[in-house]
């Protein structure tokens, strides 16, 4: 985030288009809402490792066999996005 902060604060850059995938979606959302301090706070408090299940279950293997792109959940990122938009499922 230091690079983004530098080009925005020092160079005066304004983003025309913002996009992101996975954790980048959180970054993009926060930048679009101009919640720069909150985004920096989130990254400083982010766990060093995003919690994923270590064991692969039969269900996860079946999902892959039937077309799932990943055995991992995006729940951690989804929860962060929901918490920071005051949105709930």
């Amino acid at each position: 985030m230091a690079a983004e902060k530098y080009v925005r604060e020092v160079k005066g850059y304004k983003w025309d288009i913002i996009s992101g995938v996975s954790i980048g979606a959180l970054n993009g959302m926060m930048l679009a809402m101009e919640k720069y301090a909150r985004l920096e706070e989130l990254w400083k408090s982010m766990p060093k490792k995003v919690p994923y299940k270590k064991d692969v279950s039969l269900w996860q293997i079946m999902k892959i066999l039937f077309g799932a792109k990943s055995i991992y959940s995006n729940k951690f990122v989804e929860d962060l996005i929901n918490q920071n938009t005051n949105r709930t499922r």
Side-chain angles (χ1 to χ4, degrees), residues 15-82:
W15 305 108
D16 292 329
I17 297 173
I18 300 172
S19 66
V21 174
S22 190
I23 200 71
L26 173 68
N27 293 336
M29 175 193 76
M30 299 299 279
L31 292 173
M33 294 189 310
E34 297 182 355
K35 291 188 174 185
Y36 310 118
R38 177 66 181 138
L39 180 57
E40 188 171 353
E41 177 185 314
L42 280 171
W43 275 104
K44 286 181 178 177
S45 66
M46 188 85 56
K48 297 293 180 212
K49 263 187 146 176
V50 175
Y52 289 120
K53 285 184 174 182
K54 291 182 181 178
D55 299 325
V56 177
S57 70
L58 178 59
W59 175 246
Q60 291 168 318
I61 293 169
M62 294 300 291
K63 285 172 45 178
I64 293 292
L65 290 174
F66 287 97
K69 294 183 184 349
S70 175
I71 61 171
Y72 297 115
S73 169
N74 64 356
K75 181 112 175 78
F76 177 77
V77 174
E78 180 183 7
D79 288 347
L80 278 176
I81 290 172
N82 287 336

